[in-house]
Amino acid sequence: MPQQSDKNLSNIFEELNKLSFRRQQLTDRRNVLALLVQFKRNNGQNEQQYSRETGELKEIDEELTVLSERKIELEKLQEGGSNLIETTTSSSVIFVDNPPPFPAPQVILDVKQLPRHSSQTQCPFCHQYVTTEVMTKSGSVTYLVCFISVVFGCVAGCCLIPFFLDSCKDVIHKCPKCRSNINTCKKF
Ligand SMILES: [Zn+2]
């Protein structure tokens, strides 16, 4: 009999884990959609033009409500189950939602503000929401650092080092969909 309730508990535990993962997914998606709607609204588009997004937002909200109800149900079951065991082990397990592994992705709409790493933005050419691909290219700083190392007597190839250091180079953001150059982050 104790084995049976152990098994039930681990099932409940597993379902709770899945549930909180799904909730996280939905919440992330919801954040992106909300941003999109806000952006479209700010750009003077009327409600019909973002009805698809608001429709999806509503669906997500409904699913989140269902998930919350199921979560409460499971937690009650789990309390009942762990009470059974508590008589022998006198320990109870507290379930907490997993924290998101990283902060919610931020969509940067002004391409001039893109940081030196891959980020989410709207491509100004194909108007799709994309995560940029980044490439590095030797820029003026690379040549400057190379020149300075020659002046200070670095020979035997030391002056070539800046060409292998990404931090000395310009970063190019590319659109993965239409392959255009979205922006170049110059070192200076
Ligand atoms: Zn594009």
Side-chain angles (χ1 to χ4, degrees):
M1 193 54 192
Q3 266 188 340
Q4 183 62 38
S5 57
D6 265 359
K7 206 173 164 225
N8 280 346
L9 262 188
S10 72
N11 281 348
I12 293 171
F13 180 71
E14 207 170 285
E15 196 178 340
L16 269 173
N17 264 342
K18 275 186 201 156
L19 204 140
S20 91
F21 179 70
R22 179 74 187 139
R23 270 161 58 106
Q24 191 55 53
Q25 269 186 327
L26 286 172
T27 316
D28 284 349
R29 176 80 186 139
R30 202 184 180 286
N31 287 342
V32 174
L33 279 172
L35 263 176
L36 209 75
V37 168
Q38 197 193 0
F39 176 70
K40 288 191 173 180
R41 200 180 290 149
N42 289 347
N43 274 285
Q45 297 195 11
N46 62 43
E47 230 163 280
Q48 270 174 347
Q49 282 168 293
Y50 52 84
S51 60
R52 200 176 59 80
E53 284 85 355
T54 42
E56 201 182 334
L57 272 177
K58 213 179 264 175
E59 277 170 30
I60 289 180
D61 283 342
E62 276 163 18
E63 196 177 342
L64 277 173
T65 320
V66 173
L67 285 179
S68 300
E69 280 164 9
R70 180 73 186 138
K71 188 172 174 246
I72 294 169
E73 224 171 85
L74 282 172
E75 277 168 349
K76 271 189 191 152
L77 271 177
Q78 192 201 357
E79 268 171 37
S82 58
N83 280 342
L84 281 177
I85 296 175
E86 249 174 69
T87 50
T88 51
T89 61
S90 76
S91 68
S92 63
V93 188
I94 302 163
F95 288 87
V96 183
D97 268 1
N98 286 338
F102 43 82
Q106 199 189 355
V107 182
I108 299 166
L109 295 171
D110 182 1
V111 295
K112 297 262 176 286
Q113 308 268 313
L114 285 173
R116 288 177 61 83
H117 53 81
S118 179
S119 339
Q120 294 198 348
T121 186
Q122 187 185 29
C123 173
F125 302 98
C126 63
H127 301 287
Q128 302 249 32
Y129 286 86
V130 295
T131 303
T132 59
E133 284 174 10
V134 291
M135 292 164 52
T136 52
K137 193 173 159 247
S138 305
S140 41
V141 173
T142 327
Y143 294 106
L144 187 69
V145 174
C146 171
F147 177 73
I148 292 171
S149 28
V150 172
V151 169
F152 285 93
C154 298
V155 279
C158 291
C159 59
L160 296 177
I161 289 173
F163 291 96
F164 298 98
L165 288 179
D166 281 349
S167 53
C168 289
K169 295 186 183 181
D170 295 342
V171 170
I172 301 169
H173 287 276
K174 277 196 147 203
C175 170
K177 302 241 163 95
C178 70
R179 314 302 307 167
S180 2
N181 282 2
I182 294 178
N183 189 36
T184 305
C185 305
K186 294 234 174 252
K187 190 65 187 157
F188 281 108

